[in-house]
């Protein structure tokens, strides 16, 4: 009896199960038939969204703009609305792809866009529940859903999704679809696509993701607001582990790999602000101009911008700007004295580092290194006056200019100290930044000739800029630090000018080059002129106004400039360079008035020079600095300093010239002096000494000096008493000198001679005398012999 009941129970359960299977098979068949009919109908007749569907547009997605430094290291990732960095499928590791396939679409490589097996199970559950809760979308369906459909979950949208997925797979390969999917989907925290997600969450490229990290990102996309690790790390780990379990069960990773990945600690990166703000802003502005894009277009373009940035140098400058001791005091109302620095590659004009203010506070705000235009003061002298004068007039560092006040048709410039030293060489005038010589050089050269050269090296002028005030930086508008810095690069590189730039190359999101920096290098000066200007500016950096920029064992040329009127200086500048770097530093207030100006003791030779000195010191702390190369057609000669007095032409030092009376100077070979000075030779006596009895019978001595600078002593020997006396010293003439000896006595016999004496050379404490002239004897008879 019991056995009979158990048999009936088993038979009853068997029939119940069989009926259930038949029921669901019929339901499944009916569903598939219905779905197939709707699918075919949709495919043939077209639903509105499907009819407009174009798979090619899926690849046209917003991408993050990437910026790289000069060594191709990424420095910034910027975006408009979607932070996305596109990677090709070949750049995505297998375990990363497998993580997404394992959790999102295990039969991805087997179906044609719609997974019938998965969708059947999903439909059964939806029919049982009376709602559309179960997800059965393939990767292809998710891609079209996210790119081409609304987010409303309806049966018609599901059918459209299926039709579109099928069409998508007719156009693209499986790998291409997976590539687009992994680059498009949203991971939360502002990250779109696998590369952006890897960087946002872990601070690495997707190419470097571990199995555990890949699994965590694959788990996030189901619901980023629920599973993103920065929001709920515990849920994110649980979801990650589910992905890892799936990967192991599908044979995509080993059990050991699964175990290790599940035990891997989750270390998230901190979201950082944009680095190198001023440089990055400058790059964006230049790229927008190059590509004719607005900001939103550029930030969504996915372009890769390769820049000229030197990260180490930029970081060094930014660190110096953090120290308030490197700058003048704030104004009385606590407004900061502002500053800007730009550093160029001397050879190419490429911008290596830039700071546009004391601190970076506003995205795309004012960049004082590029945007401001201020009076350059004396810093412009080498560009507008001295360089074109050396190039066009044949001036040399030894050319003499008179440093004295002069009225130039109503313009009466003054030296900074209002002191004047007379004749000076160009070297001394430039090193000491004397104003009058600079104005006289430009006056001789011609203002238009000076402007012509300055324009060739990027200096801008207004129509009103026509006067000699330009020699001292008196511009209507002025120059930017970047502009002034680049105008000095020809001095550093042998006479060539290139347009400054911060971009070398731009690629689009597909890695295709769409811009490369054009060749802009042009010759603007001879190598000789560039070297001679540099040599003079080296003096400025060692003994002149820019001496605070000097660094031991580092050859530097520099020029300072100060714009203002002593007690209320407005702008302080230093431009300094060597063969590798050309640097410019500006300091001042954004708006100047009596309360916002630099103290009288703040000039270009103080804080700006000291700041650049610190940069040069750090750059060459552990490496040898290069020397300026001397051109073959430049000669170095020892010049006699005395020969330069009173506006005379330079002469070579002789063997007799004392070392302290010589200087080394450079000349173009074709215009080098060849005459040696005779100043320091042993002086010669006159050849025409004459002694006669003059008025009253007293001796009358006459002779003609050979050199105006030699002192001639007239010596007298009294042969009656045996005494020797000097009766006078005479110098400063080259015409005949006549002397009456009224101290002679009657009835005496005398001998007279002339002894030449050098005014400066001493021997054994006495001035050097040359050999005496021949002696002339004369008798002075008793006085009565001369009475008429």
């Amino acid at each position: 009896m019991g056995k009979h009941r158990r048999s009936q129970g088993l038979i009853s359960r068997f029939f119940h199960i069989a009926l259930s299977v038949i029921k669901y098979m019929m339901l499944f068949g009916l569903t598939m038939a219905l779905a197939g009919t709707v699918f075919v109908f949709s495919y043939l007749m077209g639903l509105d969204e499907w009819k407009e569907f174009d798979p090619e547009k899926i690849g046209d997605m917003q991408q993050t703009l990437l910026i790289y430094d000069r060594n191709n290291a990424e420095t910034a990732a910027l975006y408009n609305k979607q932070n996305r960095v596109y990677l090709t499928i070949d750049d995505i590791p297998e375990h990363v792809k497998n993580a997404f396939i394992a959790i999102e679409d295990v039969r991805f490589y087997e179906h044609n866009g719609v997974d019938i097996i998965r969708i059947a199970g999903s439909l059964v559950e939806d029919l049982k529940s009376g709602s559309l809760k179960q997800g059965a979308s393939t990767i292809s369906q998710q891609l079209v859903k996210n790119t081409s459909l609304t987010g409303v979950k309806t049966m018609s949208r599901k059918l459209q999704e299926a039709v579109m997925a099928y069409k998508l797979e007719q156009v693209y390969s499986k790998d291409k679809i997976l590539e687009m999917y992994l680059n498009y989907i949203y991971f939360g925290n502002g990250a779109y696509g696998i590369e952006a997600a890897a960087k946002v969450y872990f601070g690495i490229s997707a190419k470097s993701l571990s199995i555990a990290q890949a699994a965590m990102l694959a788990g996030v996309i189901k619901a980023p607001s629920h599973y993103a690790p920065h929001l709920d790390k515990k849920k994110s780990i649980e979801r990650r582990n589910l992905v890892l379990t799936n990967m192991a069960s599908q044979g995509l990773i080993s059990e050991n790999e699964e175990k290790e990945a599940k035990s891997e600690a989750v270390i998230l990166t901190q979201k950082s602000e944009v680095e190198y703000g001023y440089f990055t802003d400058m790059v964006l502005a230049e790229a927008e101009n190059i590509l004719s894009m607005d900001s939103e277009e550029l930030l969504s373009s996915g372009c890769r911008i390769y820049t000229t940035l030197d990260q180490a140098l930029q970081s060094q400058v930014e660190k110096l700007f953090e120290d308030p001791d490197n700058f003048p005091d704030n104004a009385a109302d606590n407004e900061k004295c502002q500053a800007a620095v730009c550093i160029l590659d001397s050879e190419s004009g490429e911008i290596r580092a830039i700071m546009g203010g004391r601190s970076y506070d506003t995205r795309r705000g004012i960049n004082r290194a590029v945007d401001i235009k201020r009076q350059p003061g004396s810093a412009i002298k080498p560009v507008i006056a001295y360089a074109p004068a050396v190039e066009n007039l044949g001036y040399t560092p030894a050319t003499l200019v008179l440093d004295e006040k002069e009225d130039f048709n109503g313009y009466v410039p003054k030296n900074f100290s209002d002191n004047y030293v007379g004749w000076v060489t160009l070297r001394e005038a430039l090193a000491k930044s004397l104003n009058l010589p600079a104005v006289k050089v430009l006056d001789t050269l011609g203002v238009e000739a000076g402007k012509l050269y300055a324009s060739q090296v990027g200096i801008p002028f207004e129509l009103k800029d026509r006067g000699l005030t330009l020699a001292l930086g008196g511009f209507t508008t002025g120059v930017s630090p970047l502009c002034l810095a680049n105008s000095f690069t020809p001095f550093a590189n042998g006479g060539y000018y290139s347009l400054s730039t911060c971009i070398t190359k731009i690629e689009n999101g597909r890695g295709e080059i769409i811009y490369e920096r054009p060749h802009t290098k042009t010759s603007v000066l001879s190598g000789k002129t560039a070297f001679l200007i540099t040599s003079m500016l080296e003096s400025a950096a060692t003994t002149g106004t820019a001496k605070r920029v000097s660094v031991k064992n580092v050859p530097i040329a520099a020029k300072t400039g100060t714009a203002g009127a002593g007690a209320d200086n407005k702008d302080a500048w230093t431009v300094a360079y060597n063969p590798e770097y050309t640097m410019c530093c500006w300091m001042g207030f954004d708006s100047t008035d009596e309360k916002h100006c630099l103290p009288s003791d703040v000039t270009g030779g103080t804080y700006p020079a000291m700041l650049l000195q610190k940069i040069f010191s750090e750059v060459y702390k552990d490496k040898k600095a290069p020397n300026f190369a001397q051109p073959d057609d430049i000669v170095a000669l020892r010049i006699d300093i005395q020969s330069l007095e009173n506006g005379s032409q330079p002469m070579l030092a002789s063997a007799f010239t004392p070392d302290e009376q010589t200087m080394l100077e450079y000349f173009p070979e074709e215009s080098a002096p060849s005459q040696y000075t005779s100043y320091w030779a042993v002086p010669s006596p006159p050849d025409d000494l004459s002694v006669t009895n003059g008025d009253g019978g007293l001796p009358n001595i006459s002779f003609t000096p050979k050199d105006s600078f030699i002192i001639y002593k007239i010596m007298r020997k009294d042969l009656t008493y045996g005494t020797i006396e000097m009766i006078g010293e005479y110098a400063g003439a080259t015409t005949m000198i006549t002397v009456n000896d009224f101290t002679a006595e009657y009835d005496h016999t005398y001998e007279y001679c002339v002894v030449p004496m050098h005014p400066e050379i001493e021997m054994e404490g006495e001035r050097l005398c040359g050999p005496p002239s021949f002696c002339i004897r004369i008798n002075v008879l008793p006085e009565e012999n001369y009475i008429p």
Side-chain angles (χ1 to χ4, degrees):
M1 190 72 178
K3 287 183 180 180
H4 179 69
R5 288 198 190 99
R6 281 197 298 274
S7 296
Q8 286 183 326
L10 288 172
I11 292 170
S12 176
R13 281 197 295 274
F14 172 77
F15 278 108
H16 179 74
I17 293 171
L19 287 172
S20 296
V21 170
I22 292 170
K23 173 184 172 183
Y24 284 116
M25 285 180 68
M26 291 176 65
L27 183 62
F28 173 73
L30 182 62
T31 301
M32 288 298 98
L34 179 63
T37 302
V38 175
F39 182 89
V40 172
F41 178 78
S42 299
Y43 192 83
L44 294 174
M45 302 303 294
L47 296 170
D48 288 342
E49 288 171 306
W50 175 79
K51 284 160 52 174
E52 298 175 0
F53 176 61
D54 181 2
E56 295 288 346
K57 292 182 179 179
I58 293 179
D60 187 21
M61 59 185 76
Q62 286 190 21
Q63 295 184 47
T64 296
L65 177 76
L66 299 180
I67 299 177
Y68 301 90
D69 71 3
R70 63 190 299 257
N71 297 314
N72 298 334
E74 185 182 314
T75 61
L78 307 173
Y79 55 93
N80 180 22
K81 296 177 180 178
Q82 297 183 4
N83 178 13
R84 176 185 290 109
V85 180
Y86 202 94
L87 287 185
T88 65
I89 197 68
D90 293 334
D91 289 329
I92 301 173
E94 285 299 317
H95 66 271
V96 176
K97 293 181 280 188
N98 289 337
F100 288 85
I101 290 172
I103 195 67
E104 292 296 325
D105 191 354
V106 68
R107 282 177 289 277
F108 173 69
Y109 282 102
E110 299 167 15
H111 58 67
N112 61 357
V114 180
D115 188 346
I116 299 298
I117 297 174
R118 187 175 179 189
I119 206 170
S122 176
L123 282 170
V124 168
E125 293 299 319
D126 287 344
L127 289 170
K128 287 173 64 178
S129 65
S131 64
L132 295 173
K133 291 182 178 179
Q134 295 299 312
S137 296
T138 63
I139 283 176
S140 299
Q141 288 175 280
Q142 291 182 51
L143 182 58
V144 296
K145 175 183 68 177
N146 288 319
T147 59
S148 306
L149 294 173
T150 65
V152 180
K153 210 171 187 181
T154 64
M155 184 64 74
S156 65
R157 198 213 67 181
K158 279 282 189 183
L159 292 171
Q160 288 175 310
E161 188 180 291
V163 172
M164 290 179 178
Y166 177 79
K167 185 174 181 181
L168 179 70
E169 298 223 1
Q170 307 311 301
V171 177
Y172 293 111
S173 68
K174 286 288 188 178
D175 282 348
K176 187 63 180 179
I177 292 170
L178 183 59
E179 175 185 303
M180 290 190 290
Y181 173 76
L182 291 176
N183 279 288
Y184 196 91
I185 50 178
Y186 182 56
F187 288 84
N189 205 13
Y192 290 80
I194 187 65
E195 178 73 356
K199 290 183 177 180
V200 164
Y201 288 114
F202 304 117
I204 59 175
S205 170
K207 302 173 187 177
S208 304
L209 287 171
S210 67
I211 293 174
Q213 291 169 329
M216 178 164 281
L217 294 181
V220 165
I221 61 173
K222 179 179 176 65
S225 61
H226 192 67
Y227 295 117
H230 72 294
L231 298 177
D232 193 327
K233 187 179 287 189
K234 182 179 178 182
K235 289 181 180 178
S236 186
I237 290 174
E238 290 174 354
R239 180 74 176 166
R240 175 200 70 180
N241 291 345
L242 173 62
V243 175
L244 292 169
T245 298
N246 284 11
M247 291 177 75
S249 67
Q250 295 163 23
L252 299 174
I253 58 174
S254 66
E255 290 185 5
N256 189 49
E257 286 174 321
E258 176 192 8
K259 183 178 178 181
E260 288 182 0
K262 286 183 176 180
S263 64
E264 183 176 304
V266 177
I267 301 174
L268 301 178
T269 189
Q270 296 294 319
K271 200 169 184 178
S272 60
E273 297 297 324
V274 175
E275 288 190 290
Y276 316 132
Y278 283 115
F279 196 98
T280 300
D281 284 354
M282 179 177 58
V283 169
L284 294 176
E286 185 168 327
E288 288 165 9
N289 183 58
I290 290 170
L291 301 177
S292 298
M293 289 184 177
D294 62 27
S295 178
E296 288 190 2
E297 287 179 298
L298 182 65
L299 293 177
S300 304
S301 67
C303 286
R304 274 74 164 165
I305 303 178
Y306 295 86
T307 76
T308 61
L309 175 68
D310 183 323
Q311 288 198 63
L313 199 55
Q314 180 72 34
S315 297
Q316 178 193 341
V317 177
E318 291 186 3
K319 185 176 181 181
L320 288 172
F321 267 60
E322 293 172 1
D323 186 353
D325 291 340
N326 290 325
F327 305 93
D329 292 337
N330 295 348
D333 60 3
N334 211 35
E335 181 180 334
K336 285 182 179 179
C337 171
Q338 281 297 338
V341 163
C342 56
I343 303 176
L344 308 182
D345 179 275
S346 293
E347 187 67 30
S348 66
E350 293 180 350
I351 303 168
R352 295 285 179 250
I354 205 158
M355 279 296 289
R358 292 281 297 276
S359 60
Y360 181 75
D361 304 316
T362 306
R363 289 292 307 277
R364 304 300 293 270
I366 182 172
N367 183 340
R368 295 169 186 83
V370 178
D371 299 330
I372 66 168
K373 286 184 171 57
R374 306 295 283 260
Q375 303 289 332
S378 293
I380 200 66
K381 289 175 181 175
V383 178
I384 200 167
Y386 289 100
V390 172
E391 182 81 353
N392 300 319
L393 303 181
Y395 282 15
T396 73
T399 298
L400 291 166
V401 186
L402 189 58
D403 178 36
E404 66 177 13
K405 270 193 175 182
E406 186 175 336
D407 187 331
F408 299 89
N409 296 320
Y411 174 50
V412 185
K414 297 192 302 182
N415 283 340
F416 188 78
S417 64
D418 205 16
N419 294 320
Y420 306 88
V421 296
W423 289 103
V424 293
T425 62
L426 253 62
R427 180 180 294 277
E428 183 179 358
L430 192 50
K432 294 181 178 179
S433 198
L434 302 175
N435 289 341
L436 265 299
V439 175
K440 290 183 178 181
V441 168
L442 183 59
D443 187 43
T444 304
L445 173 70
V447 172
E448 291 306 313
K451 286 172 60 179
L452 177 62
Y453 170 73
S455 298
Q456 291 175 338
V457 293
I459 299 298
F461 295 97
E462 303 289 341
L463 290 176
K464 295 179 181 179
D465 293 330
R466 298 176 179 175
L468 291 173
T469 57
L470 293 171
L472 308 182
F475 286 60
T476 302
T477 304
V479 298
S480 69
L482 177 60
C483 172
L484 186 60
N486 204 22
S487 71
F488 274 68
T489 54
F491 304 149
N493 65 33
Y496 295 92
Y497 176 78
S498 301
L499 295 176
S500 62
T501 185
C502 56
I503 296 176
T504 57
K505 181 177 67 174
I506 301 177
E507 295 175 349
N508 62 21
R510 296 180 296 277
E512 300 164 341
I513 296 175
I514 56 175
Y515 169 82
E516 282 189 289
R517 183 195 181 190
H519 176 82
T520 63
K521 190 173 186 179
T522 57
S523 177
V524 293
L525 284 178
S526 66
K528 293 181 292 187
T529 297
F531 179 81
L532 294 177
I533 294 294
T534 290
S535 178
M536 289 188 275
L537 293 178
E538 282 188 278
S539 295
T542 51
T543 61
T545 59
K547 61 186 177 183
R548 287 187 176 91
V549 84
S550 179
V551 178
K552 187 178 180 181
N553 297 324
V554 179
I556 297 173
K559 184 69 192 78
T560 60
T562 307
D568 59 343
N569 291 335
K570 296 179 179 179
D571 303 281
W573 302 80
T574 293
V575 184
Y577 64 90
N578 75 347
E580 291 185 325
Y581 299 105
T582 298
M583 309 183 188
C584 179
C585 177
W586 165 85
M587 293 186 186
F589 287 88
D590 286 336
S591 297
T592 57
D593 53 38
E594 59 182 10
K595 295 182 179 180
H596 302 91
C597 56
L598 300 171
S600 59
D601 60 345
V602 175
T603 64
T606 58
Y607 286 96
M610 291 187 288
L611 186 67
L612 296 189
Q613 190 271 347
K614 291 179 180 179
I615 298 175
F616 272 111
S617 295
E618 184 65 23
V619 167
Y620 295 105
K621 180 175 61 177
D622 299 317
K623 67 176 182 177
K624 181 176 174 61
N627 288 306
F628 293 105
Q630 180 180 331
D632 293 338
D633 51 0
I634 289 287
V635 293
L637 301 173
R638 287 178 71 247
I639 298 300
D640 186 278
I641 294 174
Q642 191 279 333
S643 70
L644 299 172
E645 290 185 2
N646 301 319
S648 302
Q649 291 298 313
M651 300 179 73
L652 299 174
S654 71
F656 301 102
T657 305
D659 288 342
E660 65 273 14
Q661 289 293 327
T662 68
M663 66 178 187
L664 187 69
E665 193 52 274
Y666 295 98
F667 297 88
E669 197 170 38
E670 69 276 8
S671 60
S674 57
Q675 185 177 352
Y676 286 88
T677 181
S678 61
Y679 182 79
W680 303 98
V682 175
S684 300
D687 298 325
D688 60 348
L689 178 63
S690 170
V691 182
T692 60
N693 293 102
D695 293 342
L698 296 177
N700 183 291
I701 307 101
S702 63
F703 66 93
T704 303
K706 288 190 172 181
D707 294 291
S708 62
F709 64 90
I710 294 296
I711 300 171
Y712 292 92
K713 298 190 296 183
I714 300 177
M715 306 299 297
R716 182 185 72 189
K717 183 177 183 180
D718 188 336
L719 297 178
T720 304
Y721 292 154
T723 58
I724 298 176
E725 294 180 86
M726 182 185 73
I727 65 170
E729 293 183 352
Y730 303 91
T734 54
T735 57
M736 181 171 285
I737 295 174
T738 300
V739 177
N740 291 312
D741 184 5
F742 295 111
T743 63
E745 296 183 31
Y746 291 104
D747 201 18
H748 279 244
T749 300
Y750 297 100
E751 279 187 353
Y752 288 89
C753 71
V754 176
V755 178
M757 181 176 68
H758 201 283
E760 296 186 60
I761 301 178
E762 293 186 356
M763 295 187 66
E764 298 179 358
E766 299 290 337
R767 286 182 179 175
L768 174 66
C769 292
S773 65
F774 54 86
C775 294
I776 297 180
R777 182 177 295 184
I778 187 171
N779 292 317
V780 181
L781 300 175
E783 185 176 5
E784 59 268 18
N785 291 289
Y786 302 105
I787 297 173

